[in-house]
């Protein structure tokens, strides 16, 4: 009995040691897939479960975990960018939102509880933690949001917005006239749908005739 008890204590101590060793590799504010954790653990399923139970990790979806960063206001979740990077296992994506259209001054005021992820791998809506992400596979997208890209993206998605379509498009045409035509044409060619290309061609041509 003493040998069995000693063996159990030794097994427990070794498990705790391995768990602490795994924890030392984790960085606050980052997200990890189970495959990432497996680099530092031979019992990754059990260790991940234990780290969730003791509050070190937070599970946001099947096989995806975040290590919250401690702040003066309590634990802060990993950023959307970090969560999406771990989910896709890729750094090539662009986070966007219909809310960004509100900065263009084209009459959009609605707020949407959804983040769009333009990427090359996944398509569909996924719940990661307490956030819904709409993954959209696109052949091309910029590295960062720009005014020109947002104007083009708005026209691409205008049918999905809650505002009056005709009024929004009228204001987009006005903003197009105020934009750098070279940069806008580049964004239209690179990211615009066929409908968007025709819309901006008409808008830019009308402005050129007016200026001329």
């Amino acid at each position: 009995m003493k040998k069995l008890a000693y063996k159990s204590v030794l097994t427990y101590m070794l498990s705790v040691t391995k768990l602490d060793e795994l924890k030392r590799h984790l960085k606050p504010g980052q997200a990890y897939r189970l495959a990432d954790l497996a680099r530092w653990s031979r019992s990754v399923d059990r260790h991940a479960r234990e780290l969730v139970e003791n509050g070190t990790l937070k599970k946001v979806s099947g096989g995806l975990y975040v290590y919250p960063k401690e702040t003066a206001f309590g634990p802060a979740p990993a950023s959307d960018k970090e969560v999406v990077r771990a989910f896709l296992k890729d750094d090539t994506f662009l986070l966007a939102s219909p809310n960004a259209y509100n900065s263009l001054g084209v009459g959009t005021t609605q707020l949407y509880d959804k983040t769009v992820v333009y990427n090359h791998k996944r398509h569909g809506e996924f719940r990661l933690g307490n956030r819904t992400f709409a993954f959209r596979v696109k052949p091309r997208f910029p590295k960062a949001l720009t005014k020109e890209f947002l104007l083009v993206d708005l026209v691409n998605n205008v049918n999905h917005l809650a505002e009056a379509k005709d009024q929004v498009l009228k204001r987009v045409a006005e903003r197009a006239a105020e934009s750098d035509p070279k940069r806008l044409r580049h964004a239209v060619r690179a990211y615009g749908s066929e409908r968007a290309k025709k819309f901006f061609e008409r808008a830019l041509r009308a402005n050129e005739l007016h200026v001329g």
Side-chain angles (χ1 to χ4, degrees):
M1 289 296 292
K2 288 184 178 180
K3 288 185 177 180
L4 288 175
Y6 174 77
K7 187 176 181 180
S8 298
V9 171
L10 182 60
T11 300
Y12 171 76
M13 291 177 65
L14 288 173
S15 176
V16 170
T17 301
K18 292 294 185 182
L19 190 64
D20 288 339
E21 183 180 339
L22 168 58
K23 188 176 177 179
R24 282 196 292 271
H25 289 282
L26 305 179
K27 296 180 180 179
Q30 292 197 1
Y32 299 91
R33 298 185 68 91
L34 205 60
D36 298 324
L37 302 178
R39 292 179 293 174
W40 308 304
S41 170
R42 294 182 179 179
S43 305
V44 65
D45 291 307
R46 174 165 57 83
H47 284 158
R49 184 174 63 253
E50 290 174 354
L51 289 171
V52 171
E53 290 172 353
N54 67 28
T56 300
L57 293 179
K58 181 179 180 182
K59 188 173 183 178
V60 294
S61 73
L64 182 61
Y65 304 83
V66 297
Y67 185 9
K69 180 183 293 185
E70 288 295 331
T71 71
F73 305 99
S79 66
D80 288 350
K81 185 176 182 179
E82 178 62 22
V83 171
V84 170
R85 181 202 61 75
F87 179 74
L88 288 175
K89 294 187 287 187
D90 191 358
D91 292 317
T92 308
F93 59 87
L94 176 68
L95 296 178
S97 168
N99 298 334
Y101 303 149
N102 298 346
S103 67
L104 296 172
V106 294
T108 57
T109 58
Q110 295 288 326
L111 295 178
Y112 300 84
D113 185 25
K114 182 186 297 183
T115 297
V116 178
V117 184
Y118 292 127
N119 71 103
H120 299 310
K121 289 185 172 183
R122 304 293 295 269
H123 190 87
E125 292 197 0
F126 298 88
R127 189 78 175 173
L128 304 179
N130 59 354
R131 297 290 306 281
T132 297
F133 294 85
F135 287 78
R136 301 288 180 261
V137 172
K138 293 284 185 179
R140 292 176 300 279
F141 45 84
K143 293 182 179 180
L145 295 177
T146 65
K147 173 187 173 183
E148 292 77 19
F149 172 77
L150 285 173
L151 286 170
V152 175
D153 196 57
L154 189 158
V155 177
N156 287 343
N157 297 292
V158 69
N159 288 336
H160 302 296
L161 301 181
E163 289 84 1
K165 173 182 173 180
D166 292 341
Q167 291 299 315
V168 170
L169 290 177
K170 180 181 177 181
R171 292 191 177 97
V172 170
E174 294 171 355
R175 293 291 175 268
E178 300 167 0
S179 300
D180 182 322
K182 185 176 181 180
R183 292 176 62 179
L184 182 55
R185 279 197 166 94
H186 171 75
V188 171
R189 287 195 303 270
Y191 315 119
S193 64
E194 287 305 312
R195 179 181 62 187
K197 290 176 181 177
K198 292 177 181 178
F199 171 84
F200 283 106
E201 184 58 35
R202 289 194 300 269
L204 291 170
R205 188 185 302 122
N207 181 58
E208 290 170 353
L209 292 174
H210 176 73
V211 172

